[in-house]
Amino acid sequence: MADSIPLNPVRKNSKKIAYYNATRSARYQSEDETSNLDEMPLMMSEEGFENEESDYHTLPRARLSQRRRGLGWFLCGGWKVLCGSCCDCIFHFCRRKKELKARTVWLGCPEKCEEKHPKNAIKNQKYNIFTFMPGVLYQQFKFFLNLYFLVVACSQFVPSLKIGFLYTYWAPLGFVLAVTMMREAVDEMRRYRRDKEMNSQLYGKLTVRGKVQVKSSDIQVGDLIIVEKNQRIPADMIFLRTSEKTGACFIRTDQLDGETDWKLKVAVACTQRLPSLGDLFSINAYVYAQRPQLDIHSFEGNFTREDCDPAIHESLSIENTLWASTVVASGTVIGVVIYTGKETRSVLNTSQSKNKVGLLDLELNRLTKALFLAQVVLSVVMVALQGFLGPWFRNLFRFVVLFSYIIPISLRVNLDMGKSAYGWMIMKDENIPGTVVRTSTIPEELGRLVYLLTDKTGTLTQNEMIFKRLHLGTVSYGTDTMDEIQNHIIQSYAQPSSGGGNSNCGTSGSGSGSGSAPSCGKAQQPSAPKVRKSVSSRIHEAVKAIALCHNVTPVYESRAGANGETEAAEADQDYSDDNRTYQASSPDEVALVRWTESVGLTLVNRDLTSLQLKTPSGQILTYFILQIFPFTSESKRMGIIVREEATGEITFYMKGADVAMASIVQYNDWLEEECGNMAREGLRTLVVAKKSLSEEQYQDFESRYTHAKLSLHDRALKVCAVVESLEREMELLCLTGVEDQLQADVRPTLELLRNAGIKIWMLTGDKLETATCIAKSSHLVSRSQDIHVFKPVSNRGEAHLELNAFRRKHDCALVISGDSLEVCLRYYEHEFVELACQCPAVVCCRCSPTQKAQIVRLLQQHTNNRTCAIGDGGNDVSMIQAADCGIGIEGKEGKQASLAADFSITQFKHIGRLLMVHGRNSYKRSAALGQFVMHRGMIISTMQAVFSSIFYFASVPLYQGFLMVGYATIYTMFPVFSLVLDQDVKPDMALLYPELYKDLTKGRSLSFKTFLIWVLISVYQGGILMYGALLLFESEFVHVVAISFTALVLTELLMVALTVRTWHWLMVVAEFFSLGCYLASLAFLNEYFGLGRVSLGAFLDLGFITTKAFLWKVSAITVVSCLPLYIIKYLKRKFSPPSYSKLSS
């Protein structure tokens, strides 16, 4: 990379980024204190401390120079800082939150609550009846443009400043405000109705007197609430009872975490065992719940029943909870409410998304400020030329009002209407069906993107897992040899019916065929010497482990007509049902269970305490579930302890990521190498292992585990320690490889984006090898490109050396893990970002959702370029909301990302057309439209300036009331607005030559250069029109308004024609319609075409308009104002054509 970039511990005068400092100071405080690195200089190279430059041994905290804060500092902006901090303090004081505390909740006794809890009402409204008007007005007038018009319009109430009619100022402003208020009011009413509908939903509440109906908003902490199947859960609850015989139910959580898979929830055993519902009031029990927090995947609490001896204590975890906004998918559930309203997990996790403002809007805002400055300067010049006579200050203000058309109010209206039109065009595009525009204010951003940050699973890949590989250490099976595994499984279970015992022994002891008895003996005596197993028995063990070690539940479609049958018969019928579907929280697990079904070992039933497998011969094997250890992102593994019904043998199965399992399984020489091989093929790997337990071993473990689960302090650590005592010297069974297939056309789309100059970063939670492999297979990293894998670093010294090594590489892709990234950003934020931004592609693996958003903000702050984030799951929402432009894909993981995004698409390949075609058109059209509307205001202001200067600098308006309103609306609005249909390049050409997109990111279509060109055009045309009218019509001076206005309207229509690059039939209609409206108004509104107050009696007669002199003179003025511009445009296109015109020709 660029060798010139110095690696400083902290950049001099670097901007302090509050977001990172706030999160990091807490996270790294302890590390800072212990770190001895702060006491010694950092090595610039591996050779040692040769470099003596002061930069490299200055400490971060020593480098923060203390500024002197005196009077000078106060006057030069210090007062702003002080005012800002005071306002922040007052704001935080007013908005301070009540401290959230742990609580004890008595079943069915809300009155026993020690403190007041929030009301269980959903409130998504922005305003109330009192804050609506001030709130909306503030949102409008915080923009310079609108505030300026308000001041100008208000000035017209002062008689000495009044120019023309009030409606010429208040009508456009009132129209803009009315439209905005109506839109906000409609949105607010929709939100109110939606909230009211949710809050009015009725639920069954259990009381001492029986079941009563209660509104969702009236539910309190401690209430016992009944929720039916397919009903939304109204508040966070602990699951007490269910109508399902298994004591468990499924819930759908797609509205909470974006995942479409059903989650299994378990009722509290003590309350599920009670004979009837009414008994919930006959017991004296309470729930201890931790304080409300953000994490939706964890919960710690205890259930205690006091009215029996001894008291019953049961630990509660995430599987006993029912969070608000989830939906019951099976059975009826009864729960006790523990959190309501603002304290529920769903509300705590709802962040207010920021109002995104497009780069084009910011650029136009800057130009309006420049125009305002020009307007004030022009007014001062006019007053100065008057010689500052009389009340010059009043005259100055009158001139400012007179030239107020320099900044046209129609700019905001036209641009907003244009954005709506672009959104409509995107949604109507047949080539990208299903695309939805959710934020209509930023379509131009699609044409300015430099960085695209994408998720992997479900975005670049389909999130459809297919089992591809089984590796046993000495032998490997692929898709083409799966039939061999099937034959081995059939042989393993093909025992004579008389030898049922042997068969069962074979399954539990994992022997095959004739070798079942020795295997059984070996399993019962773990200390016996190892015997090398046959391939058949090892396959059998591996397949059985995969079929047992999971969290998958088979679900059957309930069919009518089965009511009369016995349970057993119904069960048999269900087991052979073709409509069996599997539900699990991970698609990987479903793929594994489907594969075991395909080779002959089928999971047919599962409840809380047991699961049943069907062998190829149709025999049902039952296993009792003793313990389950679910998968977590920290442990990266899941385990299950089962007891086989036939033999009573206890086995502990475990599967997980290779990094987690390598230290748990017995020594072997093949696991690491094979994991690497599979990862290079793009497969997601899982290591499967087992351990046989004696009854004594298990009983000892169970007592320690139960004790750890009931502890109130450091529960997670204690439980983890107990489980780890079991995870030692496990027998390695197999390694599985599952493929996540790429989405359609991912490769050509990524290539298209790369050719367009967009840098693509892949941010994924997956492991390094798989992420690297998908980056290669999707051609995110081209085959010829080098990949630099950033070594794991844990402190500043390591980060420094690794960054130095990376700096020497040129044109190579970077792969870095989330942990190493965190360390680099802590010590070398600026240097790391600068190096990473020079890479053609970056892959960040093992990223948390907050890290994804952090990377987006980093790029925005360090590069000042526009970023786009694309993802499909709930874990991508924070990244999508942080980016300048967020795109969500409706995928397997639900609609959460799609609903939170600015644009929603159905497939990743659609992003190519969205950016290259619609992004280009939206930006180019808005730039042309914005500048043309400004030109329309500047030309009339130039004419006004010329008119005033000729009439002794009098602050008298040239055009009266309706003419000014008509000029900005009916006479020129339609042709100017028809520019939203213009296009410089055909869609096919834009997709064929994505290199054209690079020009857009430079922002040349709307810059100070193009703006100054339009200013010069406006001054030239305004001067020609006014001087031409005064020179040619000396004898008909009384008609100068009609003459100059006619030429002005014709000039505007011709200028639209000059600007258009591709004609559309609606453009032609708009031109002729506007011309027709103007000619009609000449006849009907002739009283407006006199010369102001000078000739109030001089009305326009039709005879004057139809004279040849009038016609040729108006034509001459129009030609002189427009012809030179047409000639310049022709010459420019001939001798210096833009890149797109070469292609379109």
Side-chain angles (χ1 to χ4, degrees), residues 788-948:
H788 178 82
V789 179
F790 206 89
K791 288 176 189 157
V793 295
S794 56
N795 56 47
R796 195 164 83 202
E798 291 175 0
H800 196 137
L801 292 173
E802 192 54 34
L803 277 169
N804 271 334
F806 174 46
R807 197 161 56 109
R808 297 189 190 103
K809 298 282 181 74
H810 292 271
D811 191 40
C812 69
L814 171 67
V815 179
I816 186 169
S817 70
D819 298 337
S820 302
L821 179 73
E822 198 72 56
V823 176
C824 289
L825 293 185
R826 184 191 172 201
Y827 295 114
Y828 298 106
E829 183 180 286
H830 175 68
E831 287 76 12
F832 173 78
V833 176
E834 204 159 330
L835 287 170
C837 288
Q838 294 175 19
C839 295
V842 177
V843 177
C844 297
C845 51
R846 295 289 187 218
C847 269
S848 65
T850 46
Q851 263 185 331
K852 289 182 177 183
Q854 191 180 346
I855 293 165
V856 172
R857 291 191 191 96
L858 259 180
L859 287 173
Q860 289 168 335
Q861 282 154 344
H862 282 272
T863 65
N864 285 327
N865 286 322
R866 306 316 268 176
T867 57
C868 173
I870 179 168
D872 72 318
N875 59 338
D876 302 314
V877 169
S878 51
M879 165 175 83
I880 284 169
Q881 289 182 336
D884 297 302
C885 174
I887 299 176
I889 296 179
E890 286 188 25
K892 294 274 190 305
E893 293 182 38
K895 289 190 173 182
Q896 205 174 356
S898 153
L899 293 171
D902 306 308
F903 302 90
S904 167
I905 56 178
T906 52
Q907 291 183 35
F908 182 81
K909 65 179 181 181
H910 292 167
I911 196 175
R913 188 174 179 87
L914 191 64
L915 267 56
M916 300 301 123
V917 177
H918 293 289
R920 177 184 192 85
N921 288 343
S922 300
Y923 170 57
K924 286 272 191 182
R925 289 164 177 172
S926 279
L929 183 63
Q931 291 179 125
F932 205 94
V933 172
M934 284 185 188
H935 156 75
R936 196 171 63 182
M938 285 186 288
I939 192 172
I940 207 162
S941 297
T942 307
M943 292 173 76
Q944 177 68 58
V946 173
F947 177 76
S948 292

Side-chain angles (χ1 to χ4, degrees), residues 8 26 60 108 202 296 366 466 480 534 621 639 647 671 687 740 767 795 797 812 837 841 883 936 962 1001 1100 1104:
N8 306 331
L202 294 175
I296 57 173
R366 282 201 293 273
I466 298 170
D480 50 344
S534 68
L621 307 173
T647 62
L671 181 61
V687 180
D740 191 357
K767 63 172 171 281
N795 56 47
C812 69
C837 288
R936 196 171 63 182
F962 185 81
T1001 55
L1100 191 74
F1104 171 66

